[in-house]
Amino acid sequence: MRFLTLNRAFKEIKSMRIPFKGVKKLDIPVENQEKYLSVASENYDNLDTIILKAIDREPFDETNSVLLSNYRDNLQGIVEKFIKKYDTKISIVLEKGKENLLAKVDKIDVKSISYKDSFLRDEALAFKLGIKEKFKVVELYDFVEEFSDSLEDENLKLLSIGGNHIKNPGVYLVPKGAAVKDILNTLGEDINSIEKVVVNGSLGGKALGSLEERVVKGIKSLTINKEVVYEESPCISCGRCSYICPVKLLPMKLESFVINDDSTGFKEYNGDLCTKCGLCSYICPSRRHIAHRIATGQRK
């Protein structure tokens, strides 16, 4: 068993960020790419404020940071285009200490929070920021993908690729609709040795079913890790999962309700409020798959 304090857990997660060395473009042919370019628009009508979360929470993911540092001018244009269409205020939330990244972007209210607070539910985040009117919380990456005609080419998208089993981690411009196996082959990776690929982060993401799957809207990172199977131990009631939970739930209770097929208890203990951040599983000394089981309970 390993025992992490709250601060140690967050420090450990942040230490796994990719050393940023610039954006590299991957030249990968994609057949019938047009079918991967059309995206369904989010609903932004009747809102007073859009809160853009620009904090990279997941290990091995630097896409939001790259947007802020490399595409500031593009972001200015996207914001002006959005405001003209929807007449809505925009607040962008950065990690404390990075406020200067957007000092020169007009029409954006820049706010900052701690890394820990980036895991808050949308309602709690808005409350912390003092936003009381109608709002919608959107990740910066998703917002840019929705409203940008192009960063460098309308057929490309930013993708963070990292993990403990990859030779060339970094942030890349890849063709929309490219197969994961083609991306990894282009990077010179031995796809036959890859045991596990997780989409959108090892904390709250999901395992890729096949390397044939395509990189489409909503996919911002790939984490390639060597498969490590930990044997679960019984819960020791240490309380770490409830202490780290940004929603102040009792994950160990919710896990127990799912195991015992107790949907009533799951609802009474607000299991549907779980944000699937994955912190409970990360900090658990018994290596229990708490987050996965809670997600299963939400689907029932």
Side-chain angles (χ1 to χ4, degrees), residues 6 9 47 53 72 99 115 138 143 164 183 199 269 300:
L6 184 65
L47 294 171
K53 289 174 69 173
R72 195 177 308 174
E99 298 87 345
Y115 175 74
V138 184
F143 180 80
N164 59 25
I183 294 173
V199 173
Y269 277 75
K300 290 184 176 181

Side-chain angles (χ1 to χ4, degrees), residues 46-290:
N46 303 315
L47 294 171
D48 298 308
T49 302
I50 299 297
I51 302 173
L52 298 179
K53 289 174 69 173
I55 300 175
D56 293 313
R57 301 189 318 182
E58 291 280 353
F60 312 114
D61 182 0
E62 291 291 313
T63 42
N64 284 324
S65 298
V66 168
L67 285 172
L68 294 173
S69 59
N70 280 45
Y71 298 98
R72 195 177 308 174
D73 293 340
N74 301 70
L75 184 58
Q76 178 76 70
I78 295 168
V79 167
E80 291 176 353
K81 173 183 172 182
F82 179 85
I83 293 176
K84 183 177 181 180
K85 181 176 181 179
Y86 289 100
D87 190 26
T88 302
K89 293 184 291 185
I90 290 184
S91 291
I92 190 163
V93 183
L94 307 177
E95 189 173 347
K96 283 184 178 178
K98 295 187 177 182
E99 298 87 345
N100 63 317
L101 289 175
L102 284 180
K104 296 181 180 180
V105 177
D106 298 329
K107 301 181 180 179
I108 293 182
D109 178 24
V110 179
K111 299 179 181 293
S112 63
I113 58 174
S114 67
Y115 175 74
K116 174 185 174 183
D117 285 338
S118 70
F119 289 90
L120 291 172
R121 280 182 63 84
D122 292 352
E123 296 80 4
L125 176 62
F127 179 81
K128 189 172 187 68
L129 297 175
I131 296 173
K132 300 179 181 179
E133 59 268 24
K134 292 181 181 178
F135 67 89
K136 186 181 184 76
V137 178
V138 184
E139 187 156 341
L140 176 64
Y141 178 89
D142 295 329
F143 180 80
V144 170
E145 194 166 41
E146 180 86 19
F147 286 97
S148 176
D149 293 328
S150 67
L151 292 176
E152 295 185 16
D153 183 319
E154 65 179 353
N155 298 323
L156 300 175
K157 64 184 274 118
L158 280 174
L159 186 71
S160 279
I161 303 176
N164 59 25
H165 194 55
I166 186 168
K167 295 180 291 186
N168 298 296
V171 180
Y172 297 91
L173 275 169
V174 304
K176 295 176 181 177
V180 172
K181 72 168 186 177
D182 293 335
I183 294 173
L184 297 177
N185 273 327
T186 302
L187 289 174
E189 302 294 334
D190 179 9
I191 62 173
N192 294 319
S193 70
I194 292 175
E195 300 173 351
K196 185 176 183 180
V197 179
V198 179
V199 173
N200 293 345
S202 52
L203 286 177
K206 64 176 184 178
L208 199 67
S210 165
L211 295 183
E212 299 287 345
E213 292 191 32
R214 306 279 178 159
V215 172
V216 294
K217 181 189 177 186
I219 294 179
K220 63 194 291 281
S221 71
L222 300 176
T223 303
I224 293 87
N225 286 332
K226 199 169 184 64
E227 184 75 83
V228 178
V229 180
Y230 294 104
E231 184 176 346
E232 287 187 284
S233 300
C235 173
I236 61 173
S237 301
C238 66
R240 279 173 169 77
C241 59
S242 58
Y243 185 49
I244 203 172
C245 177
V247 193
K248 305 303 180 186
L249 300 176
L250 297 175
M252 62 285 201
K253 290 284 291 184
L254 295 173
E255 182 198 29
S256 175
F257 291 139
V258 175
I259 291 173
N260 293 302
D261 201 22
D262 184 355
S263 58
T264 301
F266 187 85
K267 291 178 180 178
E268 287 179 352
Y269 277 75
N270 300 313
D272 290 335
L273 295 182
C274 171
T275 63
K276 305 182 184 72
C277 68
L279 290 173
C280 53
S281 294
Y282 186 83
I283 204 171
C284 178
S286 297
R287 303 287 189 178
R288 299 193 63 76
H289 305 306
I290 306 172

